Amino acid sequence: MRALTLKATNRAVLVLVLIAAGLGFASSSVSAAPVSINLCATVGTATLAGGVNVPIWGFGATATPGNCAGVTPGLPGPVLTVNVGDTVTLAVTNDLPAGHPLSFEIPGIAFNAGPTDAAVGATVTRTFTANEPGTYLYGSGGDAGRQAAMGLYGALIVRPPTPNQAYNSATTAYDVEALLVLSAIDPAFNAAPETFDMHGYRATYWLINGKAYPDTAPGITAAAGQRVLLRYLNAGYDNTTMLLLGMHERVVARDARPLNVPFDANAETIPAGATEDAIATVPAGSGPSPRGFPLYNRQQHVTNGVQTGDGPTPATGGGMLTFIHH
């Protein structure tokens, strides 16, 4: 996990980390404050399961707006964490190849009036007040979706005043937190994003936090009786159904908006571009698998690479799969 640089003022909480599969984290409640975040959209390489390298466009953190020297993009981008009431200034520099203006957006966030796009070599500054807690997906809407398909996306978490709650209600309290950014890669597209015919787009790698199983190991660790907050963000093109085997999850919010009537499910479809928050209470016992309780793509995107035979590659499976375990 690469070191990332951040700048904040006063007592603001701003966490910038590259997420690994099933990573959970928590922060304490602090007073609202001004927060400055500097990002670069730049080019890089991602290593997929089996050692396959593909070019990507992704976000990385930088200490100085406009300076992308030495920035390594993440897949997904850095996790941005702020508190309700924070006034946030986002400076996003476009270090993409020529001819690719960037359009930075966060659905569900009301930005202050101002520019939205940045030409190559330029920086766009967007500001907002974090009024509502929740899970948000940030990214670039440039090139009619091609930039997002190349990897320009990431998670923004706005935390409520009470620690270890997803939202203002005590019913959203949790013990363990896990981010699950869902996406996919067609290596042929990534190799030629400017000329690729999107009618032929066919994802062959299905990812959780930029990794496919078995690289999603060790998964999510939680003790029996603990409540696990699953923050789903679908950064892919397809609606994605995730199945949790051996336990139920209680869906408490969609698109950073708490549900009036939360409900229990063992499989949930997260639309493309949407987010969803669910809480699963870990039962006693070892789970239905030797590795614990499987959390996987119900559409059977549990393979890595093009499948040429009757069985999955690798034989143990892959793709959009991780585990909750003790």
Side-chain angles (χ1 to χ4, degrees), residues 144-173:
R146 289 176 185 255
Q147 292 183 17
M150 283 294 290
L152 283 168
Y153 52 80
L156 165 69
I157 296 174
V158 179
R159 298 198 182 280
T162 304
N164 289 91
Q165 283 185 193
Y167 293 88
N168 293 322
S169 171
T171 62
T172 65

Side-chain angles (χ1 to χ4, degrees), residues 2-6 16-18 37-44 56-80 90-96 102 104 138 151-154:
R2 298 180 177 87
L4 296 170
T5 305
L6 60 87
L16 288 161
V17 292
L18 294 179
I37 303 171
N38 303 320
L39 296 175
C40 284
T42 190
V43 299
I56 64 167
W57 299 347
F59 290 105
T62 180
T64 306
N67 182 7
C68 293
V71 172
T72 301
L75 185 71
V79 179
L80 313 178
L90 273 161
V92 186
T93 300
N94 184 354
D95 191 40
L96 298 176
L102 178 143
F104 189 81
Y138 72 83
L152 283 168
Y153 52 80

Side-chain angles (χ1 to χ4, degrees), residues 82-294:
V82 300
N83 296 301
V84 165
D86 285 349
T87 54
V88 182
T89 300
L90 273 161
V92 186
T93 300
N94 184 354
D95 191 40
L96 298 176
H100 295 282
L102 178 143
S103 181
F104 189 81
E105 55 190 32
I106 308 177
I109 291 293
F111 286 104
N112 297 336
T116 61
D117 298 355
V120 174
T123 299
V124 62
T125 300
R126 309 213 66 185
T127 60
F128 66 95
T129 300
N131 292 320
E132 300 293 340
T135 304
Y136 300 85
L137 180 69
Y138 72 83
S140 175
D143 292 324
R146 289 176 185 255
Q147 292 183 17
M150 283 294 290
L152 283 168
Y153 52 80
L156 165 69
I157 296 174
V158 179
R159 298 198 182 280
T162 304
N164 289 91
Q165 283 185 193
Y167 293 88
N168 293 322
S169 171
T171 62
T172 65
Y174 62 88
D175 303 296
V176 175
E177 183 177 15
L179 274 172
L180 301 158
V181 181
L182 312 174
S183 62
I185 284 182
D186 178 349
F189 164 74
N190 283 66
E194 298 179 349
T195 59
F196 188 86
D197 182 357
M198 297 303 286
H199 291 94
Y201 185 92
R202 182 191 174 199
T204 55
Y205 288 88
W206 300 85
L207 312 177
I208 299 175
N209 299 333
K211 302 292 183 183
Y213 188 81
D215 294 341
T216 56
I220 304 162
T221 302
Q226 286 192 313
R227 292 162 57 89
V228 180
L229 171 63
L230 301 170
R231 294 186 184 267
Y232 297 106
L233 305 94
N234 188 354
Y237 274 144
D238 299 303
N239 296 346
T240 299
T241 301
M242 297 298 290
L243 172 66
L244 182 56
L245 194 61
M247 70 174 87
H248 288 86
E249 58 187 2
R250 188 161 186 80
V251 180
V252 298
R254 286 175 169 161
D255 294 326
R257 295 295 181 265
L259 298 180
N260 291 328
V261 183
F263 62 92
D264 292 334
N266 61 4
E268 256 300 281
T269 299
I270 301 95
T275 73
E276 182 167 296
D277 298 296
I279 295 175
T281 301
V282 181
S286 57
S289 163
R291 294 177 177 84
F293 300 87

Side-chain angles (χ1 to χ4, degrees), residues 46-57:
T47 300
L48 304 179
V52 176
N53 293 316
V54 296
I56 64 167
W57 299 347

Side-chain angles (χ1 to χ4, degrees), residues 280-303:
T281 301
V282 181
S286 57
S289 163
R291 294 177 177 84
F293 300 87
L295 177 59
Y296 64 97
N297 183 296
R298 191 179 184 181
Q299 289 106 321
Q300 299 303 309
H301 294 310
V302 286
T303 57

